[in-house]
Amino acid sequence: MAEIDLVVVGSGFYGLTVAERAAVELGRKVVVIDRRDHIGGNAYSKAEDETGIEVHCYGAHLFHTSNPRVWEYVNRFTSFTDYVHRVYTTHRGEVFPMPINLGTVNQFFRSAHGPRAARDLVAEQAAEVHSDDVSNLEEKAISLIGRPLYEAFIRDYTAKQWQTDPTELPAEIISRLPVRYTYDNRYFNDTWEGLPTDGYTAWIERMADHPNIEVRLSTDFFDESQPVNKSAVVGNVPVVYTGPVDRYFDYSEGELSWRTLDFEQEVLPVGDFQGTSVMNYADLEIPYTRIHEFRHFHPEREYPGDKTVIMREFSRFAERGDEPYYPVNTPEDRARLLAYRELGKQESGVHFGGRLGTYQYLDMHMAIGSALSAYENRIRADLT
Ligand code: FDA
């Protein structure tokens, strides 16, 4: 290990941000390993074979941030298109704009309310349940937006996401259900949003493209037949670990629970299937939660006019071996996480980071922002 200054486990945005900083700013030799056969973690995308349409392999990824530091940093590696994300939902054969806004409310109630009348209507319906009296997700949602909107747009969609009836889900899963009293249906409120002009993989490859960074793919940190593995490295070389924190400690405090997604990808012989990038399906009769149509993420590109790629998304609880996507975060999970954090403090020279290493959902800008902060506040000191 004499020639390696830092080992980064995981080539997602968190790991690559730390690797890039250590290599470029400090001139350190960094080895990045990933157990997958590609870099980029869940942001990885590739051109679909038949059509050349860029597909986000682990679900749709939209970049957005209001953090000037992150925006400046990511622009070193890629420019962004002016794509603005909008989402629609199909309910009982009718399409509504999301998130719930004045357009959704007026279409749903067949009304022409202005902001104040719509606000009054929703408040009157929400008064059915007082927010102090809620004991499950359904009651919480009704206390926020009233029963009619909840039953149309939230109930079945949530049941499909969690494969659990919302009356059996904890109220804490939702803290807010924003209703916009304007016709603005931009999905994100951030200062900057867009998609990387040349795609996610080009962006990610540029981050790793430095003579001091070596990437080793198909390399699992727990595989002792590999030269860079946990036993060989920990205690000898500083490590940034972005894999699952429970796996690192061999699940000694119990397994953390996750939701996962299954994707069903199809090439269709039409130029445009749904006219937009993401269509949610709010009703229980449709088993998937949404359909992505990737050509719409890049209207500026020349894609074939007679074919399109769609991806249906199904949601369920993850089992060991599934891709962990969203933390479930039960009280047991939180207790286990605290125990793992205590164990983590005793691992000298190991920095736990990223969404798997800290067991929290992080958007890309949050993963990058927290990696920049961790590098500056803690990791850099280990390397100088
Ligand atoms: P990430 O999971 O990307 O990387 C971790 C890496 O560690 C993986 O490549 C894994 O293979 C590797 N690894 C794990 N164990 C290992 C081991 N034992 N040995 C070696 N390597 C190991 N964000 C956003 O801003 N906009 C969006 O629209 C979306 N959309 C979205 C959809 C879905 C379905 C998900 C699940 C997530 C998003 N995100 C998102 C979030 C985005 O994916 C997230 O911010 C980044 O993946 C976080 O990067 P990390 O580096 O933390 O993890």
Side-chain angles (χ1 to χ4, degrees), residues 9-16 33-36 38-43 58-64 188 200 219-222 241-244 247 261 263 290 313 323-326 353-357 361-368:
V9 182
S11 65
F13 272 121
Y14 190 99
L16 284 184
I33 65 166
D34 204 295
R35 67 192 168 106
R36 292 176 175 165
H38 60 75
I39 62 169
N42 280 358
Y58 300 92
H61 275 66
L62 296 315
F63 189 79
H64 55 100
F188 300 115
Y200 279 98
T219 302
D220 193 308
F221 191 49
F222 303 102
Y241 176 82
T242 73
R247 171 70 187 94
L261 300 174
F263 298 112
R290 45 188 181 167
E313 185 176 305
E323 289 294 345
Y325 280 150
Y326 301 105
R355 61 184 194 95
L356 300 168
Y361 179 79
L362 297 174
D363 269 328
M364 292 178 280
H365 67 283
M366 296 156 90
I368 294 165

Side-chain angles (χ1 to χ4, degrees), residues 173-192:
I173 288 180
I174 44 170
S175 51
R176 314 164 45 237
L177 277 177
V179 175
R180 290 192 196 149
Y181 295 99
T182 67
Y183 288 93
D184 176 11
N185 72 328
R186 275 182 81 141
Y187 198 75
F188 300 115
N189 288 318
D190 280 308
T191 313
W192 298 284

Side-chain angles (χ1 to χ4, degrees), residues 303-323:
Y303 283 145
D306 57 351
K307 285 181 186 153
T308 196
V309 183
I310 63 162
M311 196 155 92
R312 297 183 190 87
E313 185 176 305
F314 302 80
S315 177
R316 63 181 169 81
F317 282 100
E319 289 168 17
R320 200 185 280 190
D322 286 328
E323 289 294 345

Side-chain angles (χ1 to χ4, degrees), residues 63-123:
F63 189 79
H64 55 100
T65 187
S66 296
N67 182 332
R69 194 157 157 253
V70 168
W71 183 241
E72 185 280 319
Y73 179 71
V74 299
N75 273 275
R76 295 179 197 177
F77 312 102
T78 180
S79 57
F80 289 84
T81 67
D82 55 8
Y83 175 82
V84 172
H85 195 45
R86 291 195 163 82
V87 172
Y88 295 85
T89 193
T90 298
H91 166 59
R92 297 204 180 145
E94 205 174 327
V95 173
F96 296 85
M98 287 279 117
I100 299 174
N101 61 71
L102 200 48
T104 323
V105 170
N106 276 331
Q107 185 181 343
F108 183 73
F109 291 109
R110 298 279 188 271
S111 56
H113 292 315
R116 175 179 290 187
R119 206 181 278 275
D120 289 347
L121 173 70
V122 171

